[in-house]
Amino acid sequence: MPDMKGLFKRAELQIFLVYMGAHLPIFLLSDARYWDDWSLSGASKEMLVSVFTQAGFPLLGYYHYAVQLIGWWFYAFSTFALGYLIIHVFYLILKSFDFSKSDAKTLSLLAAALPVNFARVAAINNPGLFFLLIFVFALYIFVISINNKNAYLEYTSYALFMFSFQFNALITSFLSVFFIAAFLFYNKAADAPTNATHHKNNLNKFKYTIKRTAEIILLPFFYATIQHFLFSKSGMFAASYNIIDINFGAILSEIKVVILYIFPYDGIYIGKPVALTIFLAAFLVVYLIRANLATRSTEADCNGKGLIGIGVVLLGLGASAYVLVGKEPSYAPWMATRFQVLLPFGAAFSTLGLFKIICAAVFSAKNHDLGDRMKVASLAGLIAVFIVNWWFVYATFYVDHLRQEAFADTIRNTPSLQSRNSVILDRSGLTAFDTMPGLGEYAGLHEAATGKHDALILDYDSMTAYGGWSGFVDNFKRFLGAWSKVEDAAVDVPGCLYIVRRGRDVQSKWSYAANAFIVKIRNPEHYTARHLLSLDGPYCQSPH
């Protein structure tokens, strides 16, 4: 019989258990569609390939078509599996860099549990995990190839990097590869006996490093050239869509995000000002405690500062994907995290660094055994908080899933809502993270209920934000069509208006979600989703 105690001491198993504890609830969303997922749902092969070809990613059209042949559940399964594999390769990379086993495991645990990149729940973001896995695997192969002086593996890693760039957000992250390469090649130039006579000073070492990293520097430009000539954007993606627009405000925005992400627990209920206040207060407490101790620079203190430095760099790179196109990355709005794939890793380094500095200041060095046990208990508690936060994240998306079911059920059972000459406004306030649903989501819900592609349903706040109906249509009319599943809607002023609100009996969306979950499991034939909502209207225009 295998030694179970020894088995649970294995870092790989501990990382998997923490990851599973945080992300297993994603399987409750196996049938859910979020954001642009409705444009994928039930789409033909021709439409998928055409749209993703316009976006410059024809391969993704074939991928989404293949997944839907398998079943929509595969998105949740592959998101769960790919997410773990990425964390596992991250652990292997850390070990290759001679991080201590404890630090490598802790960083991987934090990266697995930190509440960032909520957009992973969306099926349309699922392929990004494939490319991120290829990216981190390429980095692992690259590090191994340099350590073992294997040119074949080195150039294999270059090919994998090129393939991973189909997820464009990874191109800015490639800067981290350049820094790692410069570090490895510089050390190689300094340590290799064959180079001792040729690299006698730092200038020669620098020249050698630049020469060896030239191919790495050119890779993104080489890929950009290939993409421009073979996979250029066209159609609705041709202009004014994620165009690089760097300005001073965007740079300040990135700096602000990095500062806020140093303290990574933002979650759902703690806003940025509160998180920043807690972070600054923690630093003040540490400073006051250290002022009363003998002045010393401990190994943990130095190590913590180094980890925070690495984390800040990775956080900056993780946020840059949005900053480069003039957008402001953020924790709370889940759609604003879809390209920030490096944030879990940067936040893990910063969190561990801050944790070490606090522990070095708070726990007495006289009792190492008690101090070590307190550190382990504190770290376990912190990870437990992150895991519970993820449960709330998935619960929030589950409530949104119930809203979608209720909306489709309401349309299906209300003939007047199936009229082409009407507009339905959603004021239920049950959307995930209070994020405004997109045009495609509502069109997909209408199609799911009626099989038609001719309705315009809008979030009330979204419409008013653009100055009313006309402003909204003018801003989004280029997206009307097959992609948003609004192919034949009347875009002139509607005849009748309906408003959907939260039902009178739904005082707490959380209690409703719990009850709905129980009913759906125990007695699904008695579950009626439309009871979640109520309907006001019609408010029709006068014939005159």
Side-chain angles (χ1 to χ4, degrees):
M1 184 175 179
D3 183 6
M4 296 301 295
K5 186 176 181 180
L7 180 64
F8 280 98
K9 287 184 178 180
R10 290 183 60 87
E12 293 84 355
L13 180 59
Q14 293 177 14
I15 294 169
F16 177 73
L17 290 176
V18 168
Y19 178 84
M20 183 175 65
H23 299 291
L24 195 62
I26 196 173
F27 291 105
L28 291 175
L29 310 176
S30 293
D31 295 325
R33 283 110 167 107
Y34 298 103
W35 189 41
D36 281 347
D37 290 354
W38 288 99
S39 60
L40 304 175
S41 182
S44 67
K45 177 182 178 181
E46 291 73 20
M47 191 277 276
L48 289 171
V49 174
S50 172
V51 170
F52 282 101
T53 299
Q54 291 179 42
F57 308 109
L59 181 63
L60 296 190
Y62 293 101
Y63 169 76
H64 285 296
Y65 175 70
V67 170
Q68 293 192 66
L69 289 179
I70 298 172
W72 196 270
W73 61 268
F74 187 79
Y75 284 118
F77 172 79
S78 61
T79 295
F80 180 86
L82 291 168
Y84 171 71
L85 291 175
I86 290 167
I87 298 298
H88 183 75
V89 176
F90 177 60
Y91 175 69
L92 296 179
I93 292 172
L94 294 174
K95 290 205 303 183
S96 299
F97 275 110
D98 295 326
F99 277 80
S100 68
K101 183 178 179 180
S102 174
D103 281 357
K105 180 178 72 174
T106 303
L107 286 168
S108 301
L109 292 173
L110 289 170
L114 279 162
V116 293
N117 197 19
F118 301 159
R120 61 186 286 139
V121 302
I124 199 160
N125 294 320
N126 173 256
L129 292 176
F130 275 103
F131 294 123
L132 178 58
L133 177 60
I134 294 170
F135 182 84
V136 295
F137 185 64
L139 179 57
Y140 173 65
I141 291 179
F142 174 76
V143 174
I144 294 298
S145 69
I146 301 305
N147 290 339
N148 297 330
K149 300 179 181 179
N150 189 321
Y152 174 77
L153 283 179
E154 181 183 337
Y155 285 96
T156 299
S157 72
Y158 294 164
L160 290 174
F161 279 129
M162 286 281 289
F163 188 78
S164 73
F165 288 165
Q166 290 183 74
F167 190 53
N168 282 340
L170 293 175
I171 294 181
T172 55
S173 306
F174 195 64
L175 284 171
S176 63
V177 180
F178 167 70
F179 291 134
I180 289 171
F183 171 77
L184 292 175
F185 284 129
Y186 187 87
N187 285 345
K188 180 181 177 183
D191 298 336
T194 57
N195 291 329
T197 58
H198 300 289
H199 306 285
K200 296 180 180 180
N201 54 56
N202 289 336
L203 180 60
N204 287 334
K205 293 175 185 177
F206 177 75
K207 291 179 179 179
Y208 173 80
T209 302
I210 293 298
K211 181 179 178 180
R212 292 293 280 116
T213 56
E215 293 167 319
I216 295 177
I217 296 173
L218 292 175
L219 273 182
F221 297 98
F222 184 49
Y223 174 78
T225 302
I226 294 176
Q227 185 183 49
H228 176 74
F229 288 103
L230 297 181
F231 306 109
S232 59
K233 294 182 179 181
S234 59
M236 63 181 176
F237 300 98
S240 302
Y241 191 83
N242 284 350
I243 302 298
I244 292 180
D245 178 25
I246 304 176
N247 55 56
F248 187 70
I251 295 174
L252 289 179
S253 169
E254 181 171 2
I255 294 173
K256 180 184 71 174
V257 168
V258 169
I259 292 174
L260 292 176
Y261 282 178
I262 292 175
F263 186 84
Y265 182 62
D266 194 23
I268 301 173
Y269 301 111
I270 296 182
K272 294 186 185 68
V274 178
L276 184 58
T277 301
I278 295 174
F279 172 69
L280 294 176
F283 259 120
L284 179 60
V285 170
V286 171
Y287 175 79
L288 292 175
I289 293 175
R290 289 178 60 83
N292 296 323
L293 299 175
T295 303
R296 64 185 186 274
S297 179
T298 64
E299 180 180 353
D301 192 23
C302 295
N303 191 10
K305 292 177 181 177
L307 290 171
I308 289 178
I310 295 172
V312 168
V313 171
L314 288 179
L315 286 169
L317 292 173
S320 64
Y322 250 26
V323 173
L324 288 176
V325 294
K327 299 180 181 179
E328 179 180 340
S330 172
Y331 266 121
W334 70 277
M335 288 194 304
T337 70
R338 57 195 173 114
F339 290 153
Q340 299 169 35
V341 292
L342 282 188
L343 293 188
F345 311 115
F349 277 100
S350 295
T351 303
L352 181 58
L354 179 60
F355 180 81
K356 286 194 170 190
I357 291 175
I358 293 176
C359 288
V362 174
F363 299 122
S364 173
K366 296 180 180 180
N367 193 335
H368 292 288
D369 184 53
L370 178 61
D372 289 342
R373 281 184 289 177
M374 291 297 293
K375 291 174 186 176
V376 172
S378 301
L379 182 64
L382 184 65
I383 291 176
V385 169
F386 292 152
I387 291 175
V388 172
N389 188 81
W390 264 115
W391 293 348
F392 276 105
V393 168
Y394 286 117
T396 301
F397 281 111
Y398 183 69
V399 171
D400 189 277
H401 178 44
L402 292 177
R403 178 195 63 85
Q404 294 179 6
E405 288 184 341
F407 215 104
D409 202 10
T410 300
I411 295 172
R412 190 181 298 113
N413 290 277
T414 310
S416 59
L417 296 186
Q418 301 175 26
S419 170
R420 179 172 181 265
N421 191 32
S422 64
V423 166
I424 307 169
L425 298 182
D426 180 14
R427 297 201 75 178
S428 65
L430 299 177
T431 53
F433 299 97
D434 296 324
T435 301
M436 298 176 183
L439 189 65
E441 175 181 333
Y442 285 125
L445 286 169
H446 185 271
E447 184 200 28
T450 66
K452 300 176 183 178
H453 299 183
D454 59 2
L456 278 171
I457 308 172
L458 307 173
D459 179 81
Y460 180 85
D461 294 329
S462 295
M463 191 189 73
T464 55
Y466 288 93
W469 169 256
S470 299
F472 185 89
V473 171
D474 288 342
N475 191 75
F476 290 98
K477 61 184 177 182
R478 67 191 175 108
F479 290 104
L480 300 179
W483 179 241
S484 63
K485 291 192 174 181
V486 185
E487 299 173 356
D488 191 30
V491 295
D492 54 349
V493 179
C496 291
L497 184 70
Y498 298 86
I499 300 178
V500 177
R501 305 179 188 273
R502 187 183 303 188
R504 294 184 179 88
D505 297 332
V506 185
Q507 299 299 325
S508 168
K509 61 182 181 181
W510 299 107
S511 63
Y512 181 89
N515 292 331
F517 178 75
I518 294 172
V519 173
K520 290 175 74 173
I521 295 298
R522 290 185 175 180
N523 205 0
E525 64 273 10
H526 287 90
Y527 171 68
T528 307
R530 63 181 180 274
H531 291 165
L532 181 62
L533 304 175
S534 65
L535 180 66
D536 294 341
Y539 304 104
C540 297
Q541 291 181 338
S542 167
H544 301 291

